[in-house]
Amino acid sequence: MTSPGSFGPLQFQLVLLRRMADHQPELVDDARRELGVSLAEMREANRRWQAMVRSPRGRGSLSRYRSVLGPPERVEQRKIGDLACEALLWPVPLWPDLRFEVMVANGSAVWNEWLVRAPGAAGPEPRTAEDLRPWSCTVDEVARAFPPARPLEGTAPTRFGLGFTLPDGRAAVAEFTWGLLQRWSAA
């Protein structure tokens, strides 16, 4: 791991993993070992992130991401309804085909932050329930595969739900953490 005072992309990946551990502890343990860090180091990275987020003297969300992740790999202009916004994308070495996306409106107001498929990367094309494996799909990929999907409130700030209907007619709910599929169940 890097020096104790630094907080960069590696530690940020540990923050992503910490919340995912609630649903997929085995996958998180494998990823943590791949990164060469201990459980204690993952917990410490999460503690430090939470301290940054909650600090009364802390940076705003966008400044915090820039200070931790560096300059974005890509910035895209997007329009969602009448809202003009920017999507800032950073690589996530643990998931080379994904990017961490921060959606910003009005220059600095962060209104969404999650993992998305990297531009140009071939994503999965789920067609059945069996295709919905943990960490295989992003929110957008599941929503496109099973229209009409409806967003559902998540159980924590970094969690997102999606209601949809499987091809066999069963209603289902998918749970995502930081935009990455964790699990699904028949509703």
Side-chain angles (χ1 to χ4, degrees):
M1 197 156 165
T2 56
S3 67
S6 67
F7 196 102
L10 172 62
Q11 291 76 18
F12 182 70
Q13 289 176 101
L14 297 174
V15 169
L16 300 178
L17 288 172
R18 175 59 196 95
R19 183 58 76 183
M20 292 179 192
D22 296 339
H23 295 303
Q24 295 297 330
E26 297 84 16
L27 289 176
V28 168
D29 284 345
D30 291 346
R32 186 178 45 74
R33 281 191 288 276
E34 182 181 325
L35 293 171
V37 297
S38 69
L39 181 58
E41 288 169 316
M42 184 174 78
R43 287 182 180 143
E44 177 61 13
N46 190 65
R47 185 198 66 73
R48 290 181 61 205
W49 177 257
Q50 293 303 321
M52 282 189 275
V53 167
R54 290 182 170 86
S55 171
R57 295 179 309 278
R59 300 177 172 107
S61 295
L62 182 56
S63 294
R64 184 172 46 253
Y65 286 122
R66 286 181 184 272
S67 72
V68 168
L69 300 173
E73 173 184 79
R74 184 178 183 136
V75 178
E76 299 176 355
Q77 302 302 313
R78 299 217 188 125
K79 195 153 176 106
I80 300 172
D82 291 337
L83 181 64
C85 57
E86 284 185 328
L88 293 82
L89 297 130
W90 284 271
V92 186
L94 187 58
W95 295 287
D97 288 346
L98 299 178
R99 294 296 179 265
F100 188 73
E101 177 186 80
V102 174
M103 296 291 287
V104 179
N106 301 324
S108 64
V110 172
W111 62 271
N112 196 36
E113 50 217 324
W114 61 9
L115 294 165
V116 297
R117 191 68 48 194
E125 295 182 19
R127 299 201 189 316
T128 67
E130 292 74 32
D131 296 334
L132 297 174
R133 294 176 319 283
W135 293 15
S136 66
C137 303
T138 64
V139 171
D140 189 49
E141 291 162 346
V142 174
R144 276 195 318 265
F146 303 102
R150 11 177 235 300
L152 304 171
E153 188 171 337
T155 58
T158 60
R159 294 191 180 147
F160 188 84
L162 196 65
F164 59 98
T165 303
L166 292 164
D168 64 10
R170 288 183 293 160
V173 172
E175 294 178 65
F176 300 83
T177 300
W178 292 104
L180 193 59
L181 178 66
Q182 300 299 307
R183 64 185 178 185
W184 72 273
S185 61

